[in-house]
Every structure is written in C-alpha cells, then in structure tokens.
Amino acid sequence: KDGIRDYKVTGVQTCALPILLALVWLTGALPAEWKGHDALVFAVAFSPDGKQLATAGFDKAVKVFSAADGKLIHHIPAHAGPVYAVAFSPDGKLLASSGLDGLVKLWNAADGKPVREFKGHAGLVDCIRFTPDGGTLVSCGQDATVRTWTVADGKQVKEMKGHAGPVYAVALSPDGKTAASAGQDKTVRLWDLRSEEHTSELQSPCN
C-alpha cells in the first residue's frame, strides 16, 4: 500500500523466491530479513493450520519458520546429503523429509526431534506425501519406484514398479486410495494403493 519496499533475503536462492512471494500474499507481510538456508532450497510446505512453514535444502537441513513473522522455530540437521522433500502430516504433529541419502525421516513437529527412519530406496528420494488419514507415507525416487510406508512403525508396505526411470513426483487422491506418479519416462501412472496394482498410464504425446 505504501509503494515499493526493499527486503534483504538471506540464505534463499532465486528459485525459492516464489515461495517468499507466496508468503506475502498469504500473510500480507514479509520479514525484513529471512535467515534461512546456506544454499539452494528444494522444497517447502505449510503446516495444516498455516502457522508454520517447513523448508528443505542443499545444506542437508530442514528448517521450520513462523509463517507470521519469519522467525526460525527449528533447525534440523536432517540428512547426510541434500534434502529434496518435506511434508507435514495432516494433523500437523509430524514432519517428514527425504533426501539424497535414500532415507525418509520423520520428525516431531513440536520440538524437531527425530521419530523414525524409513529405509528402502536406493538413491535420492524426490517426493513424499502423507495419505489423508495420516497413517501412510508415500515416496518416490531415482530408483524408479513408488513406495508406501506405515507411519506408526516405519515398515515398508509396498514397492511399486512400472516407471522406466527416476520418479520425480507423487500425488494422492482425496480419498487416499489412489496414487499418481510422474517420471523421467514421460509418463504419469496411477496406482491402487489397496492392491498395489498399476491401474492406468498417461503418456505425453510430445517427443
């Protein structure tokens, strides 16, 4: 309202600036100085109540900020390598992260302390999603697989194969029964999480 304003943004590289701009739209303000990551920021997620913002970066860390004023709440030295994905559980009590070390990890969102690890992927884990009921975590990665895990004990439930290369993204239907995955092979695949069956495939007509 009062014209153009200059802000000093530290620790966040150019690709993450849309995140900060989105924060302006949602909260009406941007902290004068955003003290965050030391390198590239790969992922960002709001808590279900919109009060916190979690980020993941090349500096091996997960950070949790107040969405209202940008204050750092938690700094979590999360992985042995860059962290590529972060997600809050539907109830906001857990925070999941995944990275180049092939691990998916759970953290207590209240204090940033570790809860458990999920081991199974061979290589970078690109994306993670909680099912709507919060009981299952779905992940995908460079090993061309989509996997499901039980949040309560960290056990792998299913390993779904079908992509001909790395899988970069996964999304869940509102009822949590179907997962959609997208990969380097130019396909989007749908999976029935109850039966592990590959239900359909959408392939780009572009070369």
Side-chain angles (χ1 to χ4, degrees), residues 80-97:
V83 189
Y84 282 85
V86 66
F88 279 96
S89 61
D91 61 8
K93 294 181 179 180
L94 296 172
L95 184 62
S97 64

Side-chain angles (χ1 to χ4, degrees), residues 5-24 29-41 53 55 63 65 69-70:
R5 305 174 71 177
D6 293 326
Y7 292 98
K8 180 182 179 183
V9 180
T10 61
V12 181
Q13 295 199 9
T14 305
C15 69
L17 289 180
I19 297 168
L20 300 182
L21 294 176
L23 187 60
V24 174
L30 179 69
E33 184 173 357
W34 188 277
K35 294 183 178 179
H37 293 271
D38 297 327
L40 186 67
V41 179
L53 193 69
T55 59
K63 295 176 184 281
F65 299 91
D69 56 19

